Amino acid sequence: MNDWLETPVVSGTDKNYYTHYMPDDSGNEVVSSGRNWSFYWSASDQVALWVAYPLYGTWIEQNVSRKDAFAADPLLDEDAQPAASGYAGSYSRGHQIPSADRLSSRATNSSVFYMTNMTPQNQTFNGGLWAQLETQVRTWASASDEFYVVTGCVVAGSTLTTTSNGLTVTVPAKYYKALLRKNGTTYTACAYIYDHFTSQTSFSADDRISVDELETLTGIDFFPNLIGVVGETKANTIEATATAF
């Protein structure tokens, strides 16, 4: 496992874990340019269970507009992922790392339109509460020295599926974000989780829960590398507290 603060616990040999690096001027990903976003792929569900990424500094620059360049992810075989055209039925191609979080260049924006970053999402949710949360996260990130995000979907408990590229795709039951912020020498954290088909239409910052609570709900260990930065006692306090940003 790498030492990036946004990366949840994964085995160093886990073949479901992938990383996209920032592209150069020619659009080619270059490891030395730094990471862009990482994801944990579930072939059985045909969605990434989570996408992790930094959101500050050069990562959050906005120099281009949204490109809508939906495409197969080159890290996977094209026939082993949903089609760029989307899903059967009325589901939207819902980003986990939003387009607006990667507008530093055309190539960077195109990378978040890979189908591994998409899930079949109810448009009322996608364009409503969830979009409001995404906008708020960018506002928090722009006012931070460092900011780290894990966006994920919960497939456990889902009773819905759709199809794409001849594959069966699980429609997630819930969506969440785990957030870690640094200002000065102080780290704070919180999380949000919502039912995919919730009747709630507006995001509220007061919906926040602690990272520990989200870990209990998802079974995922978020921000494990924080211990190496602040020590175990402080890391435990940070993850146990749903701090208002």
Side-chain angles (χ1 to χ4, degrees), residues 169-226:
V169 185
T170 302
V171 178
K174 299 176 185 290
Y175 286 92
Y176 65 83
K177 287 185 181 287
L179 309 171
L180 177 65
R181 182 186 201 182
K182 181 187 179 187
N183 266 344
T185 60
T186 301
Y187 286 89
T188 51
C190 66
Y192 292 86
I193 187 167
Y194 294 99
D195 290 337
H196 186 183
F197 295 92
T198 179
S199 60
Q200 182 177 343
T201 58
S202 298
F203 162 74
S204 170
D206 292 336
D207 295 337
R208 65 186 175 274
I209 62 173
S210 71
V211 171
D212 277 353
E213 290 175 284
L214 184 63
E215 289 176 337
T216 299
L217 292 169
T218 63
I220 298 171
D221 185 358
F222 299 102
F223 310 127
N225 294 319
L226 184 60

Side-chain angles (χ1 to χ4, degrees), residues 138-155:
R138 284 189 292 277
T139 298
W140 286 329
S142 65
S144 304
D145 293 334
E146 297 177 14
F147 205 87
Y148 304 94
V149 183
V150 185
T151 301
C153 62
V154 177
V155 295

Side-chain angles (χ1 to χ4, degrees), residues 1 19 32 47 73 75 84 134 142 146 185 196 200 211 245:
M1 185 179 73
T19 296
S32 61
V47 295
D73 191 323
L75 296 182
E134 290 174 336
S142 65
E146 297 177 14
T185 60
H196 186 183
Q200 182 177 343
V211 171
F245 294 149

